[in-house]
Amino acid sequence: MAAVGCAKDADEATRTYPLPHELCGTQIDRESFDPVFPPGDTLETDAHITETTDKNTTATHNCVVTVDGSRAFSLSSIPATQADGVEDYISERGFTLDTDNPEYRSTGSYEIFTWPHIAVGFSNCTESQLGNSGVGFIIDIGEEQKLKDIESLSAALESYMDGRISQIGPESCTFT
């Protein structure tokens, strides 16, 4: 008698590293990030973040995530000085992204534009000692790694934004 099962193909790549609860010094929702993590055995991060004297962080944060030595994706948060929303932030930073056709998501606190390989989010500052108008957030998986379900990229960025916003000190930006 033959048994029919749902066995994986021998060539199908698997992910053997555990999904983290914290990524690049930032608490994340593992479920939101699950589709973004590629198959492989070893996850490593290279984060650049500056703590302030009161154990908060500045608004600038850059991190590259690698799996088995290859770049999987990058995360960053960067302050804005003139922007009032995600489209203004994209323009202020000089990104060459087509803002006519992204998927748009608004959570009330911030906006997110998403394409198949990158998501850009923005949250306004209600107050900033440094003159920041807001903070932009980016997850970039690279054009060669485009996701079919871009909503999952947006959800991953939203999780990252939630974690980063709670770390950014009031001198950089106070959020609503």
Side-chain angles (χ1 to χ4, degrees):
M1 198 170 219
V4 177
C6 296
K8 292 185 178 183
D9 292 337
D11 294 335
E12 187 177 327
T14 59
R15 183 174 57 214
T16 59
Y17 58 87
L19 294 182
H21 291 284
E22 182 179 285
L23 188 61
C24 307
T26 302
Q27 292 290 321
I28 61 163
D29 173 38
R30 290 189 321 177
E31 190 173 310
S32 296
F33 265 87
D34 183 41
V36 178
F37 285 106
D41 298 317
T42 307
L43 171 77
E44 294 180 350
T45 61
D46 181 19
H48 300 277
I49 189 164
T50 305
E51 282 190 3
T52 60
T53 55
D54 57 1
K55 299 295 181 198
N56 288 315
T57 68
T58 64
T60 302
H61 178 249
N62 295 299
C63 181
V64 175
V65 177
T66 59
V67 173
D68 296 343
S70 297
R71 181 187 175 279
F73 58 90
S74 63
L75 295 165
S76 64
S77 61
I78 307 166
T81 57
Q82 310 270 326
D84 183 26
V86 69
E87 195 164 5
D88 285 348
Y89 177 74
I90 289 168
S91 176
E92 180 178 308
R93 286 286 168 210
F95 295 130
T96 56
L97 297 167
D98 179 7
T99 56
D100 290 337
N101 296 312
E103 182 172 303
Y104 176 75
R105 179 181 198 166
S106 175
T107 65
S109 299
Y110 37 78
E111 301 175 281
I112 299 173
F113 277 5
T114 309
W115 297 264
H117 71 286
I118 190 169
V120 181
F122 186 81
S123 184
N124 286 310
C125 295
T126 54
E127 197 176 315
S128 170
Q129 296 170 14
L130 302 175
N132 298 327
S133 61
V135 178
F137 302 84
I138 301 167
I139 183 170
D140 183 355
I141 61 171
E143 287 194 59
E144 65 284 347
Q145 304 294 328
K146 293 180 182 179
L147 291 179
K148 291 178 184 159
D149 174 19
I150 66 173
E151 177 62 27
S152 61
L153 194 57
S154 181
L157 182 63
E158 186 176 345
S159 172
Y160 173 67
M161 290 175 73
D162 287 342
R164 280 293 298 137
I165 282 173
S166 68
Q167 296 173 311
I168 297 172
E171 65 280 352
S172 293
C173 185
T174 301
F175 299 94
T176 53

